[in-house]
Amino acid sequence: SNDYSLISNQSLYSGGSVQNGTYTLPSNCGLIFVEDNAWIEGVIPSQVTVVAANVTPPGNGIAPNIYLPNSITYSNPSGVSGLTAIAANDVLITPDSPQYMTLDGVYIAQNGAFGRNYYGDSSSGKMTCPNSYEPRTSLTIHGTIVSNLRTGTAWLNGCNNGTSNAGYLTRVESFDRQLSTNPPPFTPTISTVGQYIYWHQE
């Protein structure tokens, strides 16, 4: 199927009374709602939740995705900064993502999957990597992944040269304890009664 995650060109919005496309989130409401696909990247300065969903009657069969073209980090990781990204469909890392990528936050793929598609070539019956999209080196995730379908950011023997995989060859995942006690607004929870158990290994 076609992949529409790459952006060929972009510019700041300057329609109507809006002078440019840079906005400061109000301190009392860290919510961004997009009724279409959304691309997120950069440094998160505060608590923010981004939702990509189609609410027009009854969704017109379109379920928006969230695309991650670059690293997402916090300017203040001690609980002041936080991100929750909720897509009605997929949360996908784009093909031109960096070799070393870091993702801080909570990522929720409501009806789809969190992951990175295979961008090699399988047209000859063999999986090969003739382009600059495969493979990638390292993916570090600090937070939480919630996915309706199976997650995947690597492809076994995807480059078809011995045991060379495609996608992210090294993955490091860790839980963000700050987000469990101080999540961004409207972050879904599974229980109204929370319990935290502290443990450490010696």
Side-chain angles (χ1 to χ4, degrees):
S1 63
N2 293 329
D3 188 318
Y4 298 102
S5 63
L6 291 175
I7 297 175
S8 58
N9 57 67
Q10 57 186 332
S11 59
L12 292 175
Y13 176 74
S14 59
S17 62
V18 179
Q19 298 303 310
N20 61 53
T22 302
Y23 304 91
T24 301
L25 289 173
S27 59
N28 61 350
C29 182
L31 177 65
I32 299 172
F33 177 78
V34 181
E35 202 170 4
D36 205 338
N37 293 330
W39 283 256
I40 306 172
E41 63 181 284
V43 179
I44 307 297
S46 59
Q47 296 269 358
V48 61
T49 297
V50 179
V51 178
N54 187 352
V55 296
T56 54
N60 294 335
I62 300 170
N65 297 322
I66 288 179
Y67 294 106
L68 310 175
N70 239 314
S71 290
I72 297 174
T73 58
Y74 297 151
S75 62
N76 187 340
S78 64
V80 175
S81 301
L83 170 69
T84 296
I86 305 170
N89 193 38
D90 296 326
V91 178
L92 296 173
I93 298 170
T94 62
D96 57 348
S97 61
Q99 286 289 339
Y100 295 87
M101 187 172 195
T102 298
L103 295 174
D104 292 341
V106 176
Y107 299 91
I108 301 171
Q110 182 182 13
N111 295 305
F114 174 92
R116 183 177 188 273
N117 291 330
Y118 173 64
Y119 295 106
D121 182 9
S122 58
S123 60
S124 66
K126 293 182 178 180
M127 296 173 77
T128 59
C129 297
N131 57 47
S132 62
Y133 298 149
E134 297 290 2
R136 289 294 184 256
T137 305
S138 177
L139 174 63
T140 301
I141 299 174
H142 184 62
T144 301
I145 303 297
V146 179
S147 184
N148 184 46
L149 302 175
R150 182 178 176 185
T151 64
T153 55
W155 298 85
L156 182 63
N157 200 22
C159 291
N160 199 45
N161 53 352
T163 58
S164 181
N165 296 335
Y168 279 98
L169 306 181
T170 301
R171 287 155 301 171
V172 178
E173 299 173 354
S174 61
F175 177 70
D176 187 345
R177 185 172 134 188
Q178 293 289 341
L179 286 183
S180 67
T181 57
N182 186 28
F186 306 108
T187 299
T189 60
I190 58 172
S191 172
T192 56
V193 180
Q195 182 180 15
Y196 177 74
I197 300 173
Y198 179 77
W199 68 275
H200 66 278
Q201 185 174 355
E202 294 182 347

